[in-house]
Amino acid sequence: MIIAIDGPAAAGKGTLARRLADEFGFAYLDTGGLYRAVGLSVLRAGGNPADAGAAEVASVNLDLALLDDPALRAEETGTAASKVAVLPVVRSNLLDFQRNFASNPPGDAAGAVLDGRDIGTIVCPDADLKLFVTASAEVRAKRRFRELEERGLEPEFHVILADVRERDERDMNRKDAPLRPAEDALLLDTSNLDIDAVFLRAAALVNKNRTSQ
């Protein structure tokens, strides 16, 4: 079984995807982490994430060890990720990896859960279940603000909100694989729901899908 979870930054899709994978014994892939790793690689090489040449080299020679690097969650890395993600050559280079993970989940898992921006539309258009997880920009900015505060940082809310909106703009208006719900995706708006409520709704949808197969 393949579960595709898409949505904008800080909507809660990653937390939901991990919990679903744990609950049902599925393999989990944070595809956004792949783009963050490419962006981080470019930054560490002293390059510009918006430069297609530098991003292509980083995506071809991607070091998967970067997926466990603490710097992957830094705000600067997230911004770099959204810049490399608009480049068709980067998306093409990472596409096969994502599709192979979905079709052949590691560890002999019974299924795979992938989250990102274009899983249901491009990466796994034939996924058994597609969810589009979203929330208002303000709610997502507040979540990111609290997350940074918990790390001991002193973020400015207006800066975080502006960054969330800028990322949405880039993701939704890029020419290659723009962020949008698949036609057959089920919408989960988390603006007024905690993660437990979101998880229960999603788990019920997974169980319903499994029993119908």
Side-chain angles (χ1 to χ4, degrees):
M1 181 178 187
I2 299 174
I3 302 174
I5 302 181
D6 292 305
K13 63 184 181 297
T15 302
L16 174 61
R18 283 188 290 271
R19 284 191 62 171
L20 288 176
D22 289 342
E23 176 72 15
F24 295 99
F26 292 171
Y28 166 63
L29 178 63
D30 169 15
T31 66
L34 298 176
Y35 292 97
R36 282 177 172 266
V38 172
L40 180 59
S41 180
V42 173
L43 290 175
R44 287 184 170 171
N48 180 355
D51 176 47
E56 179 180 11
V57 170
S59 62
V60 169
N61 300 297
L62 182 60
D63 179 6
L64 294 180
L66 288 175
L67 295 176
D68 297 318
D69 193 311
L72 206 68
R73 309 318 303 178
E75 199 69 17
E76 182 184 24
T77 305
T79 299
S82 69
K83 291 179 179 179
V84 301
V86 304
L87 302 172
V89 65
V90 173
R91 305 199 70 82
S92 177
N93 287 341
L94 296 181
L95 185 58
D96 286 343
F97 179 89
Q98 296 171 76
R99 285 180 171 168
N100 183 63
F101 183 97
S103 301
N104 305 285
D108 293 324
V113 183
L114 290 79
D115 78 70
R117 303 288 196 279
D118 63 345
I119 310 304
T121 54
I122 302 296
V123 178
C124 300
D126 297 322
D128 300 285
L129 177 64
K130 301 176 186 178
L131 302 176
F132 192 86
V133 181
T134 189
S136 70
E138 290 75 15
V139 167
R140 290 183 285 126
K142 288 179 182 177
R143 291 172 181 169
R144 183 62 177 156
F145 181 86
R146 288 194 295 269
E147 179 184 335
L148 293 174
E149 278 193 322
E150 289 171 358
R151 293 184 190 174
L153 303 176
E154 298 181 354
E156 296 182 51
F157 179 75
H158 72 278
V159 174
I160 301 299
L161 179 58
D163 182 64
V164 166
R165 287 173 171 165
E166 287 174 9
R167 287 193 201 180
D168 287 351
E169 182 71 16
R170 277 196 296 269
D171 289 341
M172 291 187 292
N173 293 295
R174 65 192 182 205
K175 292 183 179 180
D176 189 43
L179 170 66
R180 60 179 176 81
E183 291 184 1
D184 53 347
L186 301 173
L187 180 67
L188 284 177
D189 190 324
T190 69
S191 297
N192 300 307
L193 296 173
D194 62 24
I195 185 56
D196 290 331
V198 175
F199 169 71
L200 290 174
R201 291 190 183 187
L205 292 171
V206 175
N207 281 319
K208 182 180 179 180
N209 185 279
R210 295 174 81 190
T211 56
S212 65
Q213 291 184 353

PDB file of all heavy atoms in Angstrom, residues 30-45:
ATOM      1  N   ASP A  30      10.476  11.133   4.032  1.00  0.00           N
ATOM      2  CA  ASP A  30      10.253  12.576   4.020  1.00  0.00           C
ATOM      3  C   ASP A  30      10.926  13.104   2.762  1.00  0.00           C
ATOM      4  O   ASP A  30      12.128  13.367   2.759  1.00  0.00           O
ATOM      5  CB  ASP A  30      10.859  13.191   5.283  1.00  0.00           C
ATOM      6  CG  ASP A  30      10.908  14.715   5.241  1.00  0.00           C
ATOM      7  OD1 ASP A  30      10.234  15.312   4.378  1.00  0.00           O
ATOM      8  OD2 ASP A  30      11.629  15.301   6.076  1.00  0.00           O
ATOM      9  N   THR A  31      10.172  13.261   1.695  1.00  0.00           N
ATOM     10  CA  THR A  31      10.787  13.681   0.438  1.00  0.00           C
ATOM     11  C   THR A  31      11.307  15.113   0.527  1.00  0.00           C
ATOM     12  O   THR A  31      12.254  15.477  -0.165  1.00  0.00           O
ATOM     13  CB  THR A  31       9.804  13.560  -0.747  1.00  0.00           C
ATOM     14  OG1 THR A  31       8.726  14.483  -0.578  1.00  0.00           O
ATOM     15  CG2 THR A  31       9.258  12.142  -0.833  1.00  0.00           C
ATOM     16  N   GLY A  32      10.693  15.916   1.396  1.00  0.00           N
ATOM     17  CA  GLY A  32      11.200  17.263   1.590  1.00  0.00           C
ATOM     18  C   GLY A  32      12.617  17.244   2.129  1.00  0.00           C
ATOM     19  O   GLY A  32      13.423  18.147   1.856  1.00  0.00           O
ATOM     20  N   GLY A  33      12.940  16.188   2.897  1.00  0.00           N
ATOM     21  CA  GLY A  33      14.283  16.040   3.423  1.00  0.00           C
ATOM     22  C   GLY A  33      15.311  15.881   2.313  1.00  0.00           C
ATOM     23  O   GLY A  33      16.456  16.331   2.442  1.00  0.00           O
ATOM     24  N   LEU A  34      14.901  15.246   1.213  1.00  0.00           N
ATOM     25  CA  LEU A  34      15.809  15.088   0.083  1.00  0.00           C
ATOM     26  C   LEU A  34      16.168  16.444  -0.505  1.00  0.00           C
ATOM     27  O   LEU A  34      17.330  16.718  -0.816  1.00  0.00           O
ATOM     28  CB  LEU A  34      15.169  14.205  -0.997  1.00  0.00           C
ATOM     29  CG  LEU A  34      14.825  12.767  -0.602  1.00  0.00           C
ATOM     30  CD1 LEU A  34      14.102  12.075  -1.751  1.00  0.00           C
ATOM     31  CD2 LEU A  34      16.083  12.000  -0.224  1.00  0.00           C
ATOM     32  N   TYR A  35      15.151  17.308  -0.648  1.00  0.00           N
ATOM     33  CA  TYR A  35      15.398  18.641  -1.199  1.00  0.00           C
ATOM     34  C   TYR A  35      16.179  19.504  -0.209  1.00  0.00           C
ATOM     35  O   TYR A  35      17.009  20.321  -0.610  1.00  0.00           O
ATOM     36  CB  TYR A  35      14.077  19.302  -1.591  1.00  0.00           C
ATOM     37  CG  TYR A  35      13.428  18.617  -2.765  1.00  0.00           C
ATOM     38  CD1 TYR A  35      12.436  17.665  -2.591  1.00  0.00           C
ATOM     39  CD2 TYR A  35      13.843  18.902  -4.070  1.00  0.00           C
ATOM     40  CE1 TYR A  35      11.865  17.009  -3.669  1.00  0.00           C
ATOM     41  CE2 TYR A  35      13.284  18.252  -5.159  1.00  0.00           C
ATOM     42  CZ  TYR A  35      12.295  17.302  -4.951  1.00  0.00           C
ATOM     43  OH  TYR A  35      11.750  16.650  -6.028  1.00  0.00           O
ATOM     44  N   ARG A  36      15.905  19.308   1.091  1.00  0.00           N
ATOM     45  CA  ARG A  36      16.686  20.026   2.091  1.00  0.00           C
ATOM     46  C   ARG A  36      18.157  19.594   2.029  1.00  0.00           C
ATOM     47  O   ARG A  36      19.058  20.420   2.177  1.00  0.00           O
ATOM     48  CB  ARG A  36      16.117  19.768   3.493  1.00  0.00           C
ATOM     49  CG  ARG A  36      14.862  20.568   3.817  1.00  0.00           C
ATOM     50  CD  ARG A  36      14.295  20.222   5.182  1.00  0.00           C
ATOM     51  NE  ARG A  36      13.207  21.118   5.543  1.00  0.00           N
ATOM     52  CZ  ARG A  36      13.341  22.223   6.264  1.00  0.00           C
ATOM     53  NH1 ARG A  36      14.534  22.536   6.742  1.00  0.00           N
ATOM     54  NH2 ARG A  36      12.312  22.996   6.544  1.00  0.00           N
ATOM     55  N   ALA A  37      18.367  18.304   1.819  1.00  0.00           N
ATOM     56  CA  ALA A  37      19.735  17.799   1.732  1.00  0.00           C
ATOM     57  C   ALA A  37      20.466  18.390   0.524  1.00  0.00           C
ATOM     58  O   ALA A  37      21.647  18.731   0.608  1.00  0.00           O
ATOM     59  CB  ALA A  37      19.736  16.275   1.662  1.00  0.00           C
ATOM     60  N   VAL A  38      19.757  18.506  -0.589  1.00  0.00           N
ATOM     61  CA  VAL A  38      20.359  19.128  -1.774  1.00  0.00           C
ATOM     62  C   VAL A  38      20.683  20.588  -1.485  1.00  0.00           C
ATOM     63  O   VAL A  38      21.781  21.076  -1.788  1.00  0.00           O
ATOM     64  CB  VAL A  38      19.414  19.018  -2.989  1.00  0.00           C
ATOM     65  CG1 VAL A  38      19.963  19.839  -4.169  1.00  0.00           C
ATOM     66  CG2 VAL A  38      19.238  17.568  -3.414  1.00  0.00           C
ATOM     67  N   GLY A  39      19.719  21.298  -0.888  1.00  0.00           N
ATOM     68  CA  GLY A  39      19.940  22.704  -0.569  1.00  0.00           C
ATOM     69  C   GLY A  39      21.092  22.894   0.393  1.00  0.00           C
ATOM     70  O   GLY A  39      21.938  23.789   0.219  1.00  0.00           O
ATOM     71  N   LEU A  40      21.164  22.042   1.406  1.00  0.00           N
ATOM     72  CA  LEU A  40      22.246  22.119   2.394  1.00  0.00           C
ATOM     73  C   LEU A  40      23.590  21.840   1.747  1.00  0.00           C
ATOM     74  O   LEU A  40      24.603  22.496   2.054  1.00  0.00           O
ATOM     75  CB  LEU A  40      21.985  21.121   3.524  1.00  0.00           C
ATOM     76  CG  LEU A  40      23.022  21.070   4.657  1.00  0.00           C
ATOM     77  CD1 LEU A  40      23.166  22.426   5.325  1.00  0.00           C
ATOM     78  CD2 LEU A  40      22.628  20.002   5.688  1.00  0.00           C
ATOM     79  N   SER A  41      23.619  20.872   0.850  1.00  0.00           N
ATOM     80  CA  SER A  41      24.858  20.531   0.150  1.00  0.00           C
ATOM     81  C   SER A  41      25.361  21.718  -0.664  1.00  0.00           C
ATOM     82  O   SER A  41      26.568  22.013  -0.669  1.00  0.00           O
ATOM     83  CB  SER A  41      24.617  19.330  -0.764  1.00  0.00           C
ATOM     84  OG  SER A  41      25.788  18.970  -1.470  1.00  0.00           O
ATOM     85  N   VAL A  42      24.436  22.421  -1.334  1.00  0.00           N
ATOM     86  CA  VAL A  42      24.821  23.591  -2.125  1.00  0.00           C
ATOM     87  C   VAL A  42      25.362  24.694  -1.217  1.00  0.00           C
ATOM     88  O   VAL A  42      26.397  25.305  -1.498  1.00  0.00           O
ATOM     89  CB  VAL A  42      23.622  24.126  -2.941  1.00  0.00           C
ATOM     90  CG1 VAL A  42      23.990  25.448  -3.628  1.00  0.00           C
ATOM     91  CG2 VAL A  42      23.177  23.112  -3.980  1.00  0.00           C
ATOM     92  N   LEU A  43      24.683  24.931  -0.110  1.00  0.00           N
ATOM     93  CA  LEU A  43      25.117  25.967   0.826  1.00  0.00           C
ATOM     94  C   LEU A  43      26.511  25.672   1.363  1.00  0.00           C
ATOM     95  O   LEU A  43      27.361  26.566   1.450  1.00  0.00           O
ATOM     96  CB  LEU A  43      24.126  26.078   1.983  1.00  0.00           C
ATOM     97  CG  LEU A  43      22.744  26.660   1.671  1.00  0.00           C
ATOM     98  CD1 LEU A  43      21.850  26.583   2.903  1.00  0.00           C
ATOM     99  CD2 LEU A  43      22.857  28.109   1.190  1.00  0.00           C
ATOM    100  N   ARG A  44      26.760  24.431   1.724  1.00  0.00           N
ATOM    101  CA  ARG A  44      28.058  24.071   2.294  1.00  0.00           C
ATOM    102  C   ARG A  44      29.181  24.120   1.259  1.00  0.00           C
ATOM    103  O   ARG A  44      30.353  24.240   1.613  1.00  0.00           O
ATOM    104  CB  ARG A  44      27.972  22.686   2.935  1.00  0.00           C
ATOM    105  CG  ARG A  44      27.190  22.719   4.246  1.00  0.00           C
ATOM    106  CD  ARG A  44      27.170  21.394   4.954  1.00  0.00           C
ATOM    107  NE  ARG A  44      26.611  21.541   6.302  1.00  0.00           N
ATOM    108  CZ  ARG A  44      26.312  20.528   7.106  1.00  0.00           C
ATOM    109  NH1 ARG A  44      26.533  19.278   6.689  1.00  0.00           N
ATOM    110  NH2 ARG A  44      25.804  20.739   8.297  1.00  0.00           N
ATOM    111  N   ALA A  45      28.790  24.021  -0.011  1.00  0.00           N
ATOM    112  CA  ALA A  45      29.788  24.133  -1.076  1.00  0.00           C
ATOM    113  C   ALA A  45      30.020  25.593  -1.452  1.00  0.00           C
ATOM    114  O   ALA A  45      30.831  25.888  -2.335  1.00  0.00           O
ATOM    115  CB  ALA A  45      29.342  23.339  -2.295  1.00  0.00           C
TER     116      ALA A  45
END
